[in-house]
């Protein structure tokens, strides 16, 4: 029996969320500690594709006549169409440790891993660019007007400097760096927050453009600071980015509270990450302060603290 495995990480945006929708560059990194793992194995003849979501404890059958049923069926439909093959007989198990609706890209990671596994099972090689394009199609159907940064960092599984309509630039770091990824426990709909920023841009174009221009300057400085290993500066730039996101109206009481707790506890910097109004914030500090900071953040109301590491 043939068994195929595929996996995709979660993600966080370090700099430039929201602004990236309007062509400003942004920086995102994978979170390898939170992953989706997919196992696909041959099933008895005529059984079609049966999916088991271990995390949600759901089992359902892929119906080629109703590919719009859900994002998983949609990505399978797109992969089969791209590969120009009929649905094979497969049993697919999806297991995810990425928290849902918290801005860590769980939906895009499921699409990426399922798409990869189905393509491999059909004996088709989809390169990263092709898989990314398919996952982006799903993101567009479910998230309104996404920039494409989430699916790109998840499919390529490496830190990226991303700008719409530009080639993807992988980022390398000079020395190891660890970010705390801190969950407020409040879920937020990125689609709604992105729509609100769009409205702000329409009603207050000059004000919004000033913020986007300032964010762009921070992203470019952060790109250099990350490559040169200047973690103090990077932290400072994160906090500045958070202040601009507050002005863009995408922060929340809980996010601001945890940013302040992190700064009071000696972090180099902290900011919300992703869509905002809930979900996750990120913290940068010296390596020896990470444990104390995690404790302080959990005591202050955070529901989960993950780590995202980058190595040279
Ligand atoms: C969400 O992770 C990032 C946003 O910038 C939206 C997007 O880029 O599609 C808020």
């Amino acid at each position: 029996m043939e068994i195929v495995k595929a996996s995709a990480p979660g993600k966080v945006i370090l700099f430039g969320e929201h602004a990236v929708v309007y062509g400003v560059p942004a920086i995102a990194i994978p979170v390898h500690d939170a992953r989706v793992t997919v196992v696909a194995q041959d099933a008895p003849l005529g059984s079609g594709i049966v999916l088991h979501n271990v995390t949600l404890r759901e089992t359902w059958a892929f119906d080629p006549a109703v590919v719009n049923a859900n994002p998983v069926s949609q990505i399978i439909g797109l992969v089969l169409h791209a590969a120009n093959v009929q649905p094979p007989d497969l049993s697919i198990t999806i297991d995810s440790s990425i928290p849902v609706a918290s801005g860590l890209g769980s939906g895009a990671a499921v699409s990426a891993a399922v798409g990869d596994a189905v393509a491999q099972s059909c004996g088709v090689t989809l390169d990263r660019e092709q898989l990314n394009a398919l996952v982006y199609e799903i993101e567009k159907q479910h998230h309104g007007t996404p920039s494409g940064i989430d699916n790109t960092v998840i499919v390529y599984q490496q830190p990226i400097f991303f700008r719409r309509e530009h080639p993807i630039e992988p980022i390398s770091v000079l020395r190891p760096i660890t970010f705390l990824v801190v969950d407020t426990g409040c879920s937020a709909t990125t689609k709604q927050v992105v729509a609100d920023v769009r409205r702000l841009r329409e009603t207050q174009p000059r004000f919004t453009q000033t913020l986007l221009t300032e964010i762009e300057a921070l992203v470019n400085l952060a790109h250099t600071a990350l490559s040169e290993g200047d973690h103090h500066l990077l932290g400072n730039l994160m906090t500045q980015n958070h202040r601009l996101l507050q002005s863009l109206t995408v922060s929340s009481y809980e996010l601001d509270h945890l940013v302040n707790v992190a700064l009071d506890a000696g972090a180099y910097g902290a900011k919300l990450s992703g869509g905002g109004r809930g979900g996750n914030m990120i913290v940068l500090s010296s390596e020896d302060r990470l444990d104390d900071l995690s404790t302080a953040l959990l005591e202050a109301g955070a529901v989960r603290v993950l780590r995202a590491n980058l190595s040279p």
Side-chain angles (χ1 to χ4, degrees):
M1 177 176 291
E2 198 192 343
I3 297 184
V4 156
K5 288 188 185 165
S7 167
K11 63 83 198 169
V12 279
I13 302 209
L14 297 187
F15 289 91
E17 52 274 273
H18 287 289
V20 67
V21 173
Y22 303 100
V24 168
I27 298 172
I29 63 171
V31 180
H32 293 289
D33 282 0
R35 296 192 78 82
V36 173
T37 308
V38 171
V39 177
Q41 57 189 63
D42 294 341
L45 198 64
S47 55
I49 301 179
V50 178
L51 296 120
H52 314 275
N53 190 321
V54 176
T55 329
L56 302 177
R57 296 197 188 145
E58 282 176 3
T59 294
W60 77 101
F62 168 74
D63 181 348
V66 200
V67 286
N68 279 334
N70 58 55
V72 175
S73 295
Q74 285 176 323
I75 189 75
I76 295 174
L78 286 182
V79 170
L80 297 177
H81 180 74
N84 196 18
V85 293
Q86 290 302 310
D89 297 312
L90 279 181
S91 169
I92 298 179
T93 304
I94 304 167
D95 198 355
S96 175
S97 62
I98 307 177
V100 293
S102 66
L104 294 184
S106 73
V110 169
S111 297
V114 170
D116 189 2
V118 170
Q120 287 185 58
S121 302
C122 295
V124 175
T125 312
L126 283 184
D127 63 23
R128 296 287 122 189
E129 194 178 343
Q130 290 167 310
L131 181 62
N132 194 27
L134 299 184
V135 178
Y136 187 40
E137 284 308 309
I138 309 298
E139 290 285 286
K140 281 195 276 192
Q141 302 213 18
H142 296 275
H143 296 298
T145 53
S147 62
I149 189 170
D150 291 1
N151 47 283
T152 303
V153 66
I154 284 168
V155 168
Y156 284 82
Q157 309 202 13
Q158 58 182 314
I160 53 167
F161 182 83
F162 175 94
R163 186 171 202 158
R164 287 187 97 152
E165 321 289 340
H166 285 66
I168 302 150
E169 271 184 60
I171 295 179
S172 48
V173 294
L174 187 72
R175 57 195 184 97
I177 184 166
T178 302
F179 295 89
L180 296 179
V181 180
V182 184
D183 195 340
T184 59
C186 308
S187 60
T189 319
T190 300
K191 184 176 179 175
Q192 180 61 51
V193 190
V194 169
D196 288 350
V197 172
R198 186 173 298 280
R199 228 177 339 268
L200 184 73
R201 191 165 171 261
E202 279 159 14
T203 51
Q204 300 191 49
R206 296 244 305 264
F207 169 70
T208 311
Q209 189 50 50
T210 305
L211 295 176
L212 298 185
T213 306
E214 288 179 30
I215 290 174
E216 177 157 13
L218 292 181
V219 175
N220 287 322
L221 290 170
H223 189 190
T224 310
L226 197 55
S227 324
E228 292 180 351
D230 189 342
H231 297 180
H232 272 104
L233 174 60
L234 202 59
N236 186 293
L237 296 168
M238 283 165 62
T239 309
Q240 289 187 51
N241 195 165
H242 183 73
R243 303 281 174 241
L244 295 173
L245 289 164
Q246 284 175 316
S247 302
L248 214 48
T249 76
V250 301
S251 193
S252 68
Y253 170 79
E254 291 80 7
L255 286 163
D256 291 344
H257 173 58
L258 292 178
V259 164
N260 290 334
V261 168
L263 295 176
D264 288 348
Y268 294 155
K271 66 181 277 292
L272 71 85
S273 173
R277 302 247 176 96
N280 280 271
M281 47 86 71
I282 51 172
V283 178
L284 181 61
S285 78
S286 60
E287 209 64 28
D288 60 350
R289 297 282 301 135
L290 290 173
D291 286 341
D292 286 352
L293 271 158
S294 301
T295 307
L297 289 158
L298 288 167
E299 280 172 0
V303 297
R304 188 186 300 102
V305 180
L306 299 172
R307 292 185 183 202
N309 307 299
L310 301 178
S311 309

